[in-house]
Amino acid sequence: MHFILGKGCHPGIILPDNSTNSIFSTFLVTGIPGLDAVHIWISIPFCAMFFITLVGSMTITAVIWREQTLHMPMCLFLAMLVASDLGLSLFSFPTMLKIFWLDAQELIFSACFTQMFFIHTFQKFESAVILAMAFDRYVAISHPLHYSSILTTGVISRISLAISVPTLAVEVPLPILLRRLCFCRSNVLSHSYCLHPDIIRLSCSNTRVNSSRGLFMVLSTIVPDFLLIFLSYVLILKTVLSIASHGGSLKALNTYISHIAVVIVFFTPTIYLSTLHRFAPRLPSHVYVTLANMHFLVPPAMNPIVYVVKNKQMRDKIFKFFNKRDQGESR
């Protein structure tokens, strides 16, 4: 463990004269408490989920890139979704693996802040992409004749910018604001990776600005996304119920059932963890840590599977993609 003794802190922050605390220069990420002896075994399903995410995301992206017939709004949004899934896994999984395999828990401040920035950025980005996909399904079901004229290439480009620019705008200040804080009480984080609420909890500086900005981000991004997604489902359901034929209603519902699965997979773990913290605070700590780790691994692994299973066109193109590669290698 590295630490710096004394009264100094980050520039502009001075500790009280009677302070005897150490000023740490690293954070310690946490494995699964009480299960240290079986970390190697726990890493096996985690590695399997990461492998599925890696292969699934790269395969879907490559197939959409190469197949012109898949250059449609839903598939382009899907490519953005799996890209954010992959980014989220790439920036959260390595620290888990270091803990499970090497018992390496230390992260310098800059590495921790960088990981936190990308984790939160990809989370917000994925939430916004899921909202865009909900809008796509609403247009496809409620206005099928005008679908191609509404969701043009230009509109999709503007939606992509509307997702990326605000996400970066709200996330870039976070690591900058964290650098002004002093960390002197403890340096042990509650998770296997760095999250903003977990970091500011360890600070002995005034964190009002950081806390307010973190709350603002949640209230201005994920909460509105969830409410707008719910509204789109209400409008879609209203359209489906207005379809006279039973077969037509089922066909319309089938076009967005995979999106419902993605929404459930993305939002349920967050709601479940929040509920546990509020109503079951005395559960063993390894339950919380395990569920939190699964939150960053299960959705990215499930999303490619859901869309490949439910989307026949995508499934056929993937089979065709691999058949071409096999034929090319056999020559």
Side-chain angles (χ1 to χ4, degrees), residues 121-184:
T121 297
F122 281 118
Q123 270 192 307
K124 305 293 189 301
F125 186 81
E126 183 164 349
S127 175
V129 170
I130 292 174
L131 173 59
M133 296 173 83
F135 174 69
D136 171 87
R137 291 300 84 198
Y138 166 71
V139 174
I141 293 174
S142 301
H143 306 283
L145 298 179
H146 303 286
Y147 178 76
S148 57
S149 61
I150 294 175
L151 287 174
T152 62
T153 303
V155 171
I156 295 173
S157 299
R158 288 193 289 272
I159 290 175
S160 301
L161 283 175
I163 291 173
S164 305
V165 174
T167 299
L168 291 173
V170 299
E171 290 296 338
V172 166
L174 285 187
I176 298 174
L177 290 172
L178 285 174
R179 290 184 180 278
R180 57 180 277 279
L181 300 180
C182 176
F183 300 95
C184 58

Side-chain angles (χ1 to χ4, degrees), residues 318-329:
I318 289 176
F319 288 147
K320 181 181 177 182
F321 175 76
F322 282 109
N323 284 336
K324 281 184 178 179
R325 293 191 60 181
D326 291 340
Q327 291 173 5
E329 292 175 358

Side-chain angles (χ1 to χ4, degrees), residues 304-322:
I305 295 173
V306 168
Y307 271 95
V308 170
V309 170
K310 291 300 299 179
N311 192 318
K312 184 178 185 301
Q313 186 180 15
M314 177 65 68
R315 191 166 60 246
D316 293 342
K317 293 299 182 182
I318 289 176
F319 288 147
K320 181 181 177 182
F321 175 76
F322 282 109

Side-chain angles (χ1 to χ4, degrees), residues 181-194:
L181 300 180
C182 176
F183 300 95
C184 58
R185 294 196 183 102
S186 172
N187 67 337
V188 181
L189 297 169
S190 303
H191 300 287
S192 304
Y193 35 77
C194 298

Side-chain angles (χ1 to χ4, degrees), residues 8-198:
C9 196
H10 294 288
I13 304 291
I14 304 296
L15 290 178
D17 290 339
N18 59 357
S19 173
T20 58
N21 290 332
S22 298
I23 312 302
F24 299 95
S25 62
T26 61
F27 289 119
L28 296 180
V29 288
T30 303
I32 300 180
L35 300 178
D36 304 67
V38 292
H39 271 175
I40 292 293
W41 295 105
I42 295 172
S43 71
I44 295 175
F46 281 27
C47 288
M49 285 184 282
F50 178 74
F51 179 76
I52 292 171
T53 301
L54 187 65
V55 173
S57 300
M58 294 180 67
T59 299
I60 288 176
T61 304
V63 170
I64 292 175
W65 177 269
R66 294 188 58 175
E67 295 289 340
Q68 290 291 327
T69 56
L70 294 179
H71 290 183
M72 59 183 70
M74 190 60 181
C75 290
L76 295 176
F77 289 139
L78 175 59
M80 295 167 64
L81 178 70
V82 296
S84 61
D85 281 338
L86 184 58
L88 190 60
S89 296
L90 287 173
F91 280 96
S92 59
F93 181 69
T95 52
M96 297 183 201
L97 202 61
K98 283 173 61 179
I99 295 171
F100 293 149
W101 286 6
L102 305 174
D103 197 28
Q105 296 178 273
E106 285 192 330
L107 281 179
I108 60 173
F109 284 177
S110 58
C112 187
F113 295 163
T114 300
Q115 183 189 48
M116 178 217 68
F117 168 77
F118 281 106
I119 286 178
H120 287 298
T121 297
F122 281 118
Q123 270 192 307
K124 305 293 189 301
F125 186 81
E126 183 164 349
S127 175
V129 170
I130 292 174
L131 173 59
M133 296 173 83
F135 174 69
D136 171 87
R137 291 300 84 198
Y138 166 71
V139 174
I141 293 174
S142 301
H143 306 283
L145 298 179
H146 303 286
Y147 178 76
S148 57
S149 61
I150 294 175
L151 287 174
T152 62
T153 303
V155 171
I156 295 173
S157 299
R158 288 193 289 272
I159 290 175
S160 301
L161 283 175
I163 291 173
S164 305
V165 174
T167 299
L168 291 173
V170 299
E171 290 296 338
V172 166
L174 285 187
I176 298 174
L177 290 172
L178 285 174
R179 290 184 180 278
R180 57 180 277 279
L181 300 180
C182 176
F183 300 95
C184 58
R185 294 196 183 102
S186 172
N187 67 337
V188 181
L189 297 169
S190 303
H191 300 287
S192 304
Y193 35 77
C194 298
L195 298 177
H196 184 257
D198 207 14

